[in-house]
Amino acid sequence: MNKTNIILLITCSIIILVLLLLLLYRYYNDKINELLKKINKSEKQELNKLKEKQNILIRAINLIENKLDIKSKTFDDVRKLKIDSLTTFKDEEILNKCFNEILDIKEDNSKSKKLKTLNEIINDYNENELHVISLRSYYNKYTMKYNCLIKKLPYNIIAKIKKYKLKLLLEGLEIEKE
């Protein structure tokens, strides 16, 4: 073999190796991005459901204040609440505290038992809560997969290149009870 053939063979080998590495990089990166899309989508949906939960509670608060003339500091806290992140568990604690207070008012007040709209609002809240729990479970499932994946070779190399960070799991009532 002459020198030109050897150089050509080495060059072709390097090109094939680089193409193979690029292919592998793209495959592994796509796998990470697929999980990230699922996580981000569920995060947005859950944030919307938490805002919807707040709106449901505000409907109940308005009904209670107008029909039963009952005021509460918790009601004011719910109105002032700005839900813009899923990581603040205190926001959800305030919402749950308000809902429990509304349930107590419903049980203690004979007029409230006659309000059909209050029962409908409570049913809407419970339905919303189920959605939040299922979205949180979905989020946590894919977050755990993502966190495990970016700790493994070769995904950890791609994670360092793309500066991917580990994500926190969302905690909620269903996790607290377990």
Side-chain angles (χ1 to χ4, degrees), residues 50 84 98 104 108 114-115 151 154 157 163:
L50 286 176
D84 55 2
C98 180
D104 290 343
D108 295 342
K114 296 175 186 173
L115 294 174
K151 289 179 184 177
I157 296 169
K163 296 181 181 164

Side-chain angles (χ1 to χ4, degrees), residues 61 65 70-77 79 98 101 105:
I61 290 167
E65 287 179 342
I70 297 173
K71 307 280 186 209
S72 169
K73 183 190 178 306
T74 310
F75 293 172
D76 294 334
D77 292 343
R79 282 193 175 109
C98 180
E101 197 169 310
I105 290 170

Side-chain angles (χ1 to χ4, degrees), residues 15-32:
I15 290 172
I16 290 172
L17 183 65
V18 167
L19 287 175
L20 183 63
L21 286 174
L22 285 173
L23 245 151
L24 287 173
Y25 173 82
R26 177 137 187 207
Y27 171 77
Y28 291 128
N29 188 45
D30 286 349
K31 210 167 185 182
I32 293 172

Side-chain angles (χ1 to χ4, degrees), residues 166-177:
L166 292 174
K167 292 193 167 279
L168 296 174
L169 296 177
L170 295 177
E171 293 185 24
L173 289 175
E174 69 280 358
I175 294 174
E176 200 173 271
K177 288 176 185 174

Side-chain angles (χ1 to χ4, degrees), residues 4-20:
T4 317
N5 287 344
I6 293 174
I7 291 174
L8 190 60
L9 181 66
I10 291 173
T11 307
C12 285
S13 299
I14 290 173
I15 290 172
I16 290 172
L17 183 65
V18 167
L19 287 175
L20 183 63

Side-chain angles (χ1 to χ4, degrees), residues 105-135:
I105 290 170
K106 182 182 177 236
E107 290 299 316
D108 295 342
N109 195 315
S110 59
K111 288 182 186 177
S112 67
K113 292 178 184 174
K114 296 175 186 173
L115 294 174
K116 290 182 182 177
T117 52
L118 185 60
N119 290 329
E120 290 171 8
I121 291 171
I122 290 171
N123 288 338
D124 289 347
Y125 182 91
N126 287 329
E127 198 173 299
N128 181 283
E129 185 66 19
L130 287 174
H131 280 107
V132 169
I133 289 170
S134 64
L135 285 169

